[in-house]
Amino acid sequence: MEEAICAIATPYGVGAISIIRTSGFKSIENVNKIFKGKNLLKAESHTISYGHIVDDGNIIDEVMVSIFRAPKSFTTEESVEISCHGGIFSTNKVLEALLKNGFRLALPGEFTKRAFLNKRIDLTQAEAVMDIISSNNNIALKSANNSLRKSTTILIETLREKLLTLIASIEVNIDYPEYDDAITMTNEIVIPNLKQLIAEMNIILEHSQISKIAIHGIKTAIIGRPNVGKSSILNILLDEEKAIVSSIAGTTRDTIEAELSLGGVTLKLIDTAGIRETTDEVEQIGISRSKKAISEAELVLLVLDNSEELTLMDKELLEITKNKKRIIIVNKQDLNKKINLDMDYIKLSVKDKNGLHDLEKKLIEITKINEFNLDDQNYLSNTRHIAKMNEALNSLNIALKACKNNELIDMIEIDIKNAWQALGEIIGDTAPDLLINELFSKFCLGK
Ligand code: GDP
């Protein structure tokens, strides 16, 4: 049995009620010592009792006490929840009384960590609890709820079972070779299975990319040399005068962070400073920040000016963004065309408010947001999970390459086991203690 812990589970401040949560060894007996009302030792699980919390014979608060007997509680340990009047002072007094009677203060996330360690939930479900708390749109909330109902676990376990079957068949063949040589086995068993698994994981990752954008938005940088109309575009998108618009080149000197929704896609604008070679010191800072923004951005909106020929700077920007997800916008379509550009672009005129619809359509096309289907559940939405899946995929690609080079099957098996291990870290099966501790420390107190 684990030590008895307690914590205030509701936000710090005055409210209608505050809830203090307890869990662990002798929780019910300990609370009973300071409870005046029904004998809690005789209370059935999942019942609520009315009474008072007393300390040194003095009544501190009028409360309702909920009893959860092991293993039917969130942590699987015996657990008591005390609903107090929502005063800061009175709630703290109840907490103090608990601390004097066998409880210690819980660490952040300790209740959920216990639920995980006691195998009531796996790591993806614990993370889903956090994702529910931090969700700020319907898609994020539904996705977190899917994960809480084990959608991620099932996805990962299915892949791991297939990997395990493959590992087992390799081991059997190493021990009792039914094939004449190892090369036949790799060709007939390992290579087709690896190819199948790699294809499945690639599909999951592709869906994950789309779901990540649907849930968290896409980090976007609007770039272009001064005076092409970046601030004007930003303003028209934001529909408010947040950025400074001026005809003097290079006035957009600082980072403007904003979030806007276009065609159902949330654009998280990470930097809007202009890019140009200049001697002005302040602008130099803006320029280096813009270059940094390009490297941080998942999507680049590169703005060019229809009424001018391409400058060296435009060409440089086209070059450094060529491998990025990008949309080229040629602004000022209301002016005579001087630009000569031999690639796909969106025609825009902020002045005439023309072309915004095309930009929206392009954004939907490039993010594939319309392909996102919450019910398909063949995706990961948590960044840590996606990183681990990439790691597993990488190991399988190494294994496949090794097969094709006729390398030793024992060596190939190591990479396949690495993939199995990386996937295990997603659900917590093979996760190191350090990772577990770090994950739970990010939870709130009382969670
Ligand atoms: P930035 O330096 O790239 O942020 O450019 P601004 O947004 O400050 O715009 C520079 C100048 O171009 C301003 O005088 C704007 O009014 C003007 N401008 C922006 N978009 C258009 C457009 O579509 N047509 C015309 N004719 N002028 C524009």
Side-chain angles (χ1 to χ4, degrees):
M1 253 292 194
E2 286 281 346
E3 272 181 288
I5 51 171
C6 66
I8 301 172
T10 38
Y12 188 76
V14 177
I17 49 170
S18 296
I19 295 175
I20 298 180
R21 200 175 199 187
T22 78
S23 180
F25 187 53
K26 290 191 177 172
S27 276
I28 300 174
E29 195 181 315
N30 289 342
V31 174
N32 201 42
K33 285 187 217 159
I34 56 166
F35 182 70
K36 208 170 153 196
K38 177 179 180 169
N39 180 1
L40 298 178
L41 295 175
K42 292 188 178 151
E44 285 190 27
S45 187
H46 295 74
T47 57
I48 302 176
S49 304
Y50 167 82
H52 293 87
I53 296 294
V54 285
D55 190 18
D56 290 336
N58 297 319
I59 289 181
I60 301 173
D61 201 1
E62 181 189 36
V63 296
M64 299 292 284
V65 170
S66 312
I67 300 291
F68 304 91
R69 293 192 179 273
K72 289 192 163 180
S73 74
F74 178 61
T75 55
T76 76
E77 303 163 351
E78 71 174 58
S79 170
V80 181
E81 279 180 21
I82 307 170
S83 303
C84 320
H85 287 130
I88 298 174
F89 186 73
S90 58
T91 306
N92 275 327
K93 278 290 188 191
V94 176
L95 190 71
E96 274 173 31
L98 290 169
L99 294 173
K100 280 195 255 170
N101 283 279
F103 291 97
R104 71 157 167 83
L105 204 58
L107 299 169
E110 194 169 1
F111 291 90
T112 319
K113 185 178 177 183
R114 287 186 178 196
F116 166 71
L117 292 175
N118 295 333
K119 303 209 180 323
R120 188 180 163 281
I121 54 174
D122 69 23
L123 212 50
T124 64
Q125 290 176 295
E127 286 170 299
V129 172
M130 272 290 273
D131 291 342
I132 287 178
I133 295 172
S134 62
S135 65
N136 57 7
N137 62 53
N138 282 333
I139 298 173
L141 182 61
K142 185 159 183 210
S143 172
N145 269 309
N146 283 344
S147 214
L148 189 61
R149 292 204 316 274
K150 288 195 142 203
S151 64
T152 309
T153 314
I154 293 165
L155 189 68
I156 298 302
E157 276 178 349
T158 312
L159 285 172
R160 285 186 96 214
E161 272 165 29
K162 288 180 188 171
L163 279 171
L164 212 53
T165 311
L166 181 58
I167 293 167
S169 64
I170 293 173
E171 302 235 322
V172 166
N173 276 285
I174 291 172
D175 294 341
Y176 311 99
E178 78 178 55
Y179 291 92
D180 289 345
D181 56 65
I183 292 173
T184 322
M185 187 191 68
T186 13
N187 285 335
E188 288 186 9
I189 300 180
V190 186
I191 291 181
N193 274 300
L194 279 180
K195 280 187 174 165
Q196 173 69 26
L197 279 158
I198 287 170
E200 280 178 37
M201 281 159 74
N202 270 323
I203 290 174
I204 293 172
L205 284 169
E206 201 177 303
H207 287 201
S208 304
Q209 200 54 40
I210 302 171
S211 82
K212 203 174 141 230
I213 294 172
I215 294 171
H216 305 289
I218 186 162
K219 278 198 217 166
T220 307
I222 302 180
I223 60 154
R225 67 180 160 81
N227 234 20
V228 291
K230 297 180 298 298
S231 314
S232 311
I233 293 172
L234 183 65
N235 279 344
I236 201 169
L237 293 179
L238 285 171
D239 213 15
E240 58 180 272
E241 298 279 315
K242 261 195 188 164
I244 320 150
V245 184
S246 150
S247 54
I248 307 160
T251 43
T252 317
R253 287 181 167 170
D254 210 354
T255 307
I256 298 162
E257 312 243 359
E259 211 172 280
L260 60 93
S261 178
L262 195 62
V265 184
T266 303
L267 300 185
K268 291 157 84 179
L269 301 173
I270 51 174
D271 202 319
T272 54
I275 288 193
R276 141 185 112 134
E277 267 142 14
T278 167
T279 50
D280 183 77
E281 246 178 71
V282 184
E283 274 189 358
Q284 285 289 8
I285 298 167
I287 289 162
S288 62
R289 284 171 75 167
S290 288
K291 282 187 175 161
K292 193 166 154 269
I294 295 172
S295 69
E296 281 175 23
E298 294 160 315
L299 172 71
V300 171
L301 303 183
L302 171 53
V303 187
L304 301 169
D305 187 334
N306 179 57
S307 67
E308 289 174 19
E309 285 175 18
L310 282 180
T311 66
L312 276 178
M313 196 65 207
D314 291 331
K315 287 176 186 163
E316 193 184 328
L317 290 176
L318 283 164
E319 179 61 25
I320 59 175
T321 56
K322 73 174 181 210
N323 293 323
K324 288 230 108 158
K325 200 177 275 215
R326 75 171 174 194
I327 299 176
I328 299 168
I329 300 169
V330 178
N331 187 35
K332 306 196 189 181
Q333 291 293 325
D334 53 288
L335 301 178
N336 283 339
K337 181 178 171 184
K338 280 208 183 142
I339 199 168
N340 185 12
L341 190 63
D342 180 25
M343 51 183 88
D344 188 32
Y345 60 84
I346 298 294
K347 290 180 180 173
L348 191 78
S349 164
V350 173
K351 199 173 170 210
D352 295 348
K353 296 198 173 177
N354 255 337
L356 279 174
H357 187 60
D358 290 340
L359 177 61
E360 210 172 289
K361 269 187 8 204
K362 185 76 189 168
L363 198 59
I364 293 168
E365 181 196 314
I366 208 166
T367 57
K368 299 185 181 168
I369 199 94
N370 279 357
E371 290 175 26
F372 181 63
N373 175 8
L374 257 178
D375 295 323
D376 113 16
Q377 300 192 9
N378 200 19
Y379 67 90
L380 303 169
S381 54
N382 182 295
T383 315
R384 187 185 74 84
H385 302 168
I386 294 173
K388 282 286 151 198
M389 173 75 77
N390 268 313
E391 203 178 304
L393 179 64
N394 195 28
S395 293
L396 292 190
N397 276 320
I398 293 172
L400 184 62
K401 202 170 158 203
C403 284
K404 288 177 178 165
N405 291 338
N406 295 332
E407 283 176 29
L408 277 179
I409 192 70
D410 311 52
M411 301 307 287
I412 295 166
E413 194 192 355
I414 293 174
D415 286 313
I416 300 175
K417 279 184 175 164
N418 284 345
W420 181 81
Q421 166 98 17
L423 292 181
E425 284 186 38
I426 295 178
I427 51 176
D429 191 25
T430 51
D433 286 351
L434 207 68
L435 168 77
I436 307 280
N437 289 338
E438 198 194 311
L439 273 179
F440 286 105
S441 68
K442 290 185 189 141
F443 279 50
C444 13
L445 204 65
K447 192 71 223 171

